[in-house]
Amino acid sequence: MDVRIDGKVALITGASRGIGEAIAAQFLESGAAGVTITSRRKENITAAADRLDDSRVLPVAARADSEADANSAVAQTVAQFGGLHILVNNAGTNPAAGDLASVDLGAVGKTWEVNQLGPLLWARAAWGATMAESGGSIVNIASVGGMRVGPFIGAYNISKAAVIHLTRQLANEMAPGVRVNAVAPSVVRTRLAAALWEGVEEHTARAHPLQRIGEPSDVAYAVTFLASDAASWITGVVLPVDGGVTGAAAARGLGG
Ligand SMILES: NC(=O)c1ccc[n+]([C@@H]2O[C@H](COP(=O)([O-])OP(=O)(O)OC[C@H]3O[C@@H](n4cnc5c(N)ncnc54)[C@H](OP(=O)(O)O)[C@@H]3O)[C@@H](O)[C@H]2O)c1
C-alpha cells in the first residue's frame, strides 16, 4: 500500500487478533515509528507481538473499558516512543445476542461499556496526554450494524450507532488539531463474526454486491488511509468497508 505513516506512533486497542492485528501489521508496513498493541489478556497480546516480530511493537495488557488502563497504556506509549499520533479504537465485543426486550442486561451493559464507553475513555487519554497540544488522528471501528436495524444483535448495533455519533461529536470538539473518523465494516473473517461466515460463507458472500466477505486487511487499508496525512482534510466521516451493502441498501431506498 502506498499510503505512508512514516515516523508516526500509533496505539491500537483489541489488537491480539483479527482486524486489530491486521491494522498493526499494515501500520508497520506503512512506516510507523512505533505501534502499541493492547488487549485484555497478557498472553494473547504477547503472542500477537511475537507474530508481528518487529522491534517497533509494544504489547500492553489493558482492558478497553478501563480508564486507568487507557491512561497507563498511553503513558507507556509516550515513554517508549516519545509521542502518540494515531489512536485506533478497535476493541469490541458482542456477548448480548437476542431481542432487546429479553436479552440479558448484564451482557448489554458489558457490550456498551467496551464498545461505546471504551472509545471515549481512550480518546480522552490520548487527548490529555499529547493530542490536545500536538494534534493527531483517531479512527474508530464502528459497523454497518450501527447504521440499520437487524435481528439478534440489537445491543451491539446500538453500541456501534453510538460510536458513529461519538465520532462526529469528537471530530467537532477536537478540531482543528485532531481528526476523528470511523470505518463501518460488514462481515469480516474474524472470530467475532464467525457465526456469520463459518459454514455459511457462500450465502453471506452473496448478500454483498462484491460477492465475498471481508478480510481483516480490507479494513486495515481503509484505517491506514484515514489515519494518515493523505486524509488531512477528512474528519467526522464514517467510511463503509462493506463489499457494497450500504450503497445497495441506499439505492433500494432503505437508507444507509
Ligand atoms: N468481524 C466483523 O465482521 C466486524 C464487523 C464490523 C465491526 N467489527 C468490529 O471490529 C473490531 C474488531 O473485531 P474483530 O472482528 O477483529 O474481533 P476479534 O477477532 O474477536 O478481536 C477482538 C479483539 O478485541 C480484544 N478485546 C475484546 N474485548 C476486550 C476488552 N474488553 N478490552 C480489551 N480488548 C478486548 C480481543 O483480545 P483479548 O481477547 O485478548 O482481550 C481481540 O484482540 C470490533 O470493534 C468489532 O465490533 C467487526
Side-chain angles (χ1 to χ4, degrees), residues 14 16-17 19 39-40 44 64 90 142 156 160 186 188 190 192-193:
S16 66
R17 59 176 183 266
I19 292 169
S39 83
R40 283 167 300 183
N44 291 355
N90 169 76
Y156 172 85
K160 293 300 186 178
S186 182
V188 179
T190 71
L192 184 95

Side-chain angles (χ1 to χ4, degrees), residues 113-188:
E113 276 169 26
V114 172
N115 294 6
Q116 108 187 33
L117 178 63
L120 175 59
L121 297 178
W122 289 75
R124 285 163 59 113
W127 176 260
T130 65
M131 287 192 181
E133 203 171 314
S134 312
S137 174
I138 298 174
V139 183
N140 296 322
I141 311 301
S143 167
V144 292
M147 300 193 278
R148 62 178 62 96
V149 297
F152 309 124
I153 55 171
Y156 172 85
N157 286 348
I158 290 167
S159 75
K160 293 300 186 178
V163 168
I164 287 170
H165 199 79
L166 176 76
T167 299
R168 294 174 176 144
Q169 184 70 31
L170 286 180
N172 206 271
E173 292 186 14
M174 292 183 167
V178 178
R179 297 183 301 104
V180 187
N181 293 294
V183 296
S186 182
V187 178
V188 179

Side-chain angles (χ1 to χ4, degrees), residues 37-132:
I37 56 173
T38 74
S39 83
R40 283 167 300 183
R41 299 208 175 81
K42 193 167 180 22
E43 64 273 22
N44 291 355
I45 202 64
T46 306
D50 289 345
R51 286 193 298 276
L52 290 164
D53 190 23
D54 193 302
S55 60
R56 293 171 292 165
V57 173
L58 174 66
V60 176
R63 287 182 297 124
D65 53 346
S66 161
E67 184 180 19
D69 286 3
N71 288 332
S72 169
V74 167
Q76 290 178 63
T77 302
V78 174
Q80 174 89 5
F81 300 118
L84 175 62
H85 310 103
I86 296 167
L87 167 67
V88 182
N89 280 310
N90 169 76
T93 190
N94 185 22
D99 292 341
L100 289 173
S102 55
V103 68
D104 176 66
L105 283 180
V108 171
K110 191 69 195 167
T111 304
W112 289 357
E113 276 169 26
V114 172
N115 294 6
Q116 108 187 33
L117 178 63
L120 175 59
L121 297 178
W122 289 75
R124 285 163 59 113
W127 176 260
T130 65
M131 287 192 181

